[in-house]
Amino acid sequence: ILTTCSAKTDIATGLSFAPRHRQLEVAGVGVRKKGPIKVYSVAMYASASLKERLSVLSSTVDKVKAMATLATAKDDGDVSFLLKMNMKVGAEKMASAIADSVAPRYKGDVEDVAKLKGLIFNGVQAKGAATKGTSFLFDCNDTGVAVAVDGKAQGSVESAGLSKAFCEVYLDDKGVSPKLKESCISGWCLP
């Protein structure tokens, strides 16, 4: 039985995320840490079809299969990641950190990653730095990745491969926020 969608809060930072982004539901939330430092919270918004595929799996008995299903979220349609900063980070450092996570997962033109980095940098540079509460929205679809900073569109990089690689930053076996994956599984799978 599928339940209604509700807002989620990252317990590590106290940052909250709306129940929906466009037609997508919030699947889970987690924190991105660097050592003991909680850099940002992240929410993943995904399609109802992914929710249906996960809803028949147990978060305990079928955990390996559930994680594998989650890793292929992009196959079910659009996926969005909303990051909310928990601390101040400079524009170059934030843009580089995200680009450096995407680059090894992407097999296409290195210029695509450079464009993604530029969109992030320009959005943050306009306000000086990514301060606590700054939001980054990454809409991953079949044509590429669209970037917004604090709700202001920065542009997009047209590359389906880059879109998939961006999703892998959070969803593959080396994902940068294990708590995000755990939250998605515990929220959308059976116990």
Side-chain angles (χ1 to χ4, degrees):
I1 296 174
L2 300 179
T3 59
T4 48
C5 182
S6 59
K8 294 190 184 291
T9 300
D10 178 12
I11 59 170
T13 63
L15 295 168
S16 296
F17 294 87
R20 293 190 175 278
H21 167 62
R22 297 189 182 116
Q23 79 283 10
L24 305 176
E25 290 185 35
V26 64
V29 297
V31 65
R32 170 65 164 125
K33 289 182 174 182
K34 286 300 268 183
I37 300 168
K38 299 168 189 163
V39 181
Y40 62 80
S41 290
V42 56
M44 181 179 106
Y45 291 85
S47 68
S49 62
L50 175 64
K51 185 176 186 178
E52 288 172 24
R53 286 198 306 139
L54 287 171
S55 71
V56 298
L57 300 173
S58 165
S59 62
T60 53
V61 176
D62 302 319
K63 187 172 184 175
V64 172
K65 186 172 183 181
M67 286 292 187
T69 300
L70 183 63
T72 64
K74 186 74 201 70
D75 295 345
D76 284 283
D78 297 353
V79 177
S80 294
F81 294 93
L82 179 58
L83 285 54
K84 291 185 180 180
M85 297 302 296
N86 190 51
M87 60 178 288
K88 183 178 178 180
V89 177
E92 177 63 32
K93 189 169 191 172
M94 190 65 195
S96 292
I98 293 173
D100 291 349
S101 293
V102 173
R105 293 168 167 92
Y106 183 54
K107 306 299 181 233
D109 188 342
V110 294
E111 278 302 308
D112 293 339
V113 176
K115 288 178 195 169
L116 177 67
K117 180 180 176 181
L119 293 174
I120 298 165
F121 177 82
N122 291 339
V124 177
Q125 188 62 27
K127 60 183 281 175
T131 54
K132 184 169 181 152
T134 298
S135 68
F136 296 88
L137 179 64
F138 299 92
D139 287 324
C140 302
N141 58 45
D142 291 338
T143 61
V145 180
V147 179
V149 178
D150 285 339
K152 184 178 178 197
Q154 300 300 312
S156 61
V157 181
E158 302 302 315
S159 167
L162 187 70
S163 179
K164 183 178 183 297
F166 193 94
C167 290
E168 290 171 357
V169 168
Y170 294 97
L171 301 177
D172 71 13
D173 59 349
K174 295 177 184 158
V176 300
S177 178
K179 292 288 185 191
L180 172 65
K181 294 189 297 185
E182 292 290 336
S183 175
C184 292
I185 296 304
S186 68
W188 279 6
C189 290
L190 298 167

